[in-house]
Amino acid sequence: MSAVICGTGSYAPAYQMNNDEIAKLVETNDAWIRERTGIRQRHIAKTETTTYMAAQAAGRALENAGISPEEIELIIVATLSSDVILPCTACEVQREIGAKRAACFDMNAACSGFTLAYNMADAFFEAGQYQTALIVAAEKLSGLTDWTDRNTCILFGDGAGAAVLKKGKGRHYFSVTHSDGEKGWALTCKNRLAVTGKEPLSREYFIDMNGQEIFKFAVRKVPELIREILRENNVEQEEITWFVVHQANCRILESVAKHLGEPSWKFPMNLQHYGNTSSASIPILLDEMNRQGKLKKGDRILIAGFGAGLTWSGNILDWEM
Ligand code: ACO
């Protein structure tokens, strides 16, 4: 009785920023960014807000699912970049789409956000509390990016993805989530005032990252996470059709595939067009695959997120659309 995806949607801002444009801001170049990350461009919100992107993705997911907003009982928005602290983005999405009956809240688990939102909705279903949920992951990371820091500004992009979930009749899968607060320092988003004691510069908050530490964490923990999810659910690795993993860096995805002895095509990638959109990367990719007809009824998909906290989390879902 796992949560079943019955509709997906996504939204990416109209403005696309390529690597050459970044090279005008910091000492870098297109070849370096492509080789080290796989990223060619990212969508950057000029006018779009996090709420706008979230509501667009949500509306498209509802349309894809063919259900009305009134049927939604629960909205969870995963984000680390809400427009305002209050009200939460989920309540804003509720208002925008007219999901009057829904209980709404946000959660922040950084790049693991979508997988944790899925796991949480699934747990509500298991507890018998809800039967229909909308989970959205939306990020406007450009507003938290230090555009003078070449270690980070080359990586991130803006966008949103959403999925409509229903309580299914099929097999229930157990989720896996881990956290390591000791390593929180490796990827932070802090108030500049708190860090320097000086007046905030152009941005109040900015992302700071030890790239190599995060890289090592990801290539070690993601294969462990995938193996644990398989073990907990008595599923053989060859039974997984797609490994839909957080889109941070092509070298991380290739390394994980290699560790597991899987061909890289089983780890689909769209980060070349979007950059790292944090929590939104997995649902944007799922929506693309869905709309391109790549996902077939009966496909078994393993989703795995990892990111700041540190956090890493995943689950298995059977595709029933
Ligand atoms: N352009 C050109 N040169 C650069 C750039 C740049 N943008 N950034 C760093 N360099 C230089 C460095 O100064 C260094 O030069 P040196 O050898 O003269 O000292 C050299 O390139 C190598 O630097 P590294 O930091 O070793 O580069 P690396 O291969 O590790 O790549 C990167 C850096 C892309 C950030 C990589 O570490 C990475 O992808 N890490 C994971 C980041 C990530 O995925 N974060 C998010 C995950 S969680 C979430 O999504 C929130």
Side-chain angles (χ1 to χ4, degrees):
M1 291 200 304
S2 269
V4 167
I5 293 182
C6 53
T8 63
S10 62
Y11 178 87
Y15 174 56
Q16 298 172 36
M17 188 186 208
N18 65 27
N19 292 341
D20 291 334
E21 286 172 79
I22 300 233
K24 289 182 192 147
L25 304 175
V26 289
E27 184 75 36
T28 191
N29 57 71
D30 176 51
W32 194 96
I33 300 173
R34 278 191 200 211
E35 191 197 314
R36 301 290 176 119
T37 70
I39 299 165
R40 296 173 182 196
Q41 62 152 58
R42 68 286 294 141
H43 293 255
I44 298 292
K46 288 267 194 191
T47 54
E48 297 94 338
T49 61
T50 301
T51 294
Y52 177 80
M53 295 189 285
Q56 288 292 316
R60 291 172 188 184
L62 285 173
E63 203 182 328
N64 188 236
I67 73 164
S68 71
E70 289 80 15
E71 289 176 64
I72 299 292
E73 298 166 299
L74 171 71
I75 300 176
I76 306 175
V77 173
T79 185
L80 64 90
S81 50
S82 56
D83 304 313
V84 291
I85 293 174
L86 297 172
C88 70
T89 309
C91 282
E92 300 275 87
V93 169
Q94 175 194 34
R95 189 198 59 230
E96 289 295 319
I97 65 173
K100 291 191 171 57
R101 286 175 59 218
C104 308
F105 63 91
D106 287 5
M107 50 165 287
N108 175 359
C111 307
S112 309
F114 181 80
T115 45
L116 274 157
Y118 175 87
N119 292 341
M120 202 181 284
D122 182 54
F124 275 116
F125 289 175
E126 273 295 286
Q129 197 161 351
Y130 303 116
Q131 310 222 7
T132 309
L134 170 69
I135 54 171
V136 188
E139 303 289 5
K140 188 174 169 178
L141 300 177
S142 58
L144 301 173
T145 299
D146 179 346
W147 290 99
T148 64
D149 176 13
R150 70 176 181 174
N151 290 311
T152 52
C153 75
I154 59 164
L155 297 174
F156 300 112
D158 301 332
V164 175
L165 306 180
K166 274 196 177 289
K167 186 171 179 169
K169 293 195 175 70
R171 174 173 178 182
H172 184 257
Y173 294 102
F174 296 101
S175 65
V176 174
T177 297
H178 292 291
S179 309
D180 180 5
E182 295 290 341
K183 292 261 172 65
W185 56 266
L187 181 47
T188 61
C189 184
K190 286 184 180 164
N191 187 305
R192 200 176 283 277
L193 204 55
V195 176
T196 64
K198 292 183 192 150
E199 274 303 299
L201 300 175
S202 53
R203 303 283 173 195
E204 232 185 315
Y205 287 85
F206 67 103
I207 295 171
D208 189 30
M209 181 184 67
N210 182 321
Q212 289 185 3
E213 194 67 29
I214 296 292
F215 195 92
K216 279 189 282 179
F217 149 68
V219 297
R220 195 175 60 245
K221 286 295 179 194
V222 178
E224 278 179 28
L225 170 69
I226 290 174
R227 288 200 174 102
E228 188 179 347
I229 295 166
L230 294 170
R231 204 170 49 245
E232 287 298 313
N233 288 291
N234 282 318
V235 171
E236 298 297 325
Q237 196 174 302
E238 50 271 25
E239 293 177 62
I240 301 296
T241 322
W242 302 104
F243 297 88
V244 178
V245 177
H246 169 48
Q247 303 284 295
N249 182 315
C250 67
R251 288 189 298 144
I252 293 176
L253 293 169
E254 281 158 7
S255 164
V256 173
K258 203 169 156 201
H259 259 82
L260 295 167
E262 292 286 353
S264 48
W265 62 262
K266 282 182 98 174
F267 286 71
M269 226 187 281
N270 65 359
L271 59 87
Q272 52 277 31
H273 307 299
Y274 294 93
N276 176 347
T277 56
S278 190
S279 66
S281 83
I282 290 176
I284 291 174
L285 180 55
L286 279 175
D287 184 48
E288 257 189 25
M289 294 175 77
N290 180 23
R291 285 169 197 267
Q292 288 167 359
K294 288 190 176 151
L295 301 176
K296 305 274 182 273
K297 197 175 163 81
D299 280 359
R300 194 165 277 172
I301 301 169
L302 191 150
I303 53 171
F306 60 93
L310 302 174
T311 55
W312 55 110
S313 180
N315 209 332
I316 295 174
L317 49 103
D318 288 331
W319 194 257
E320 294 196 10
M321 285 181 68

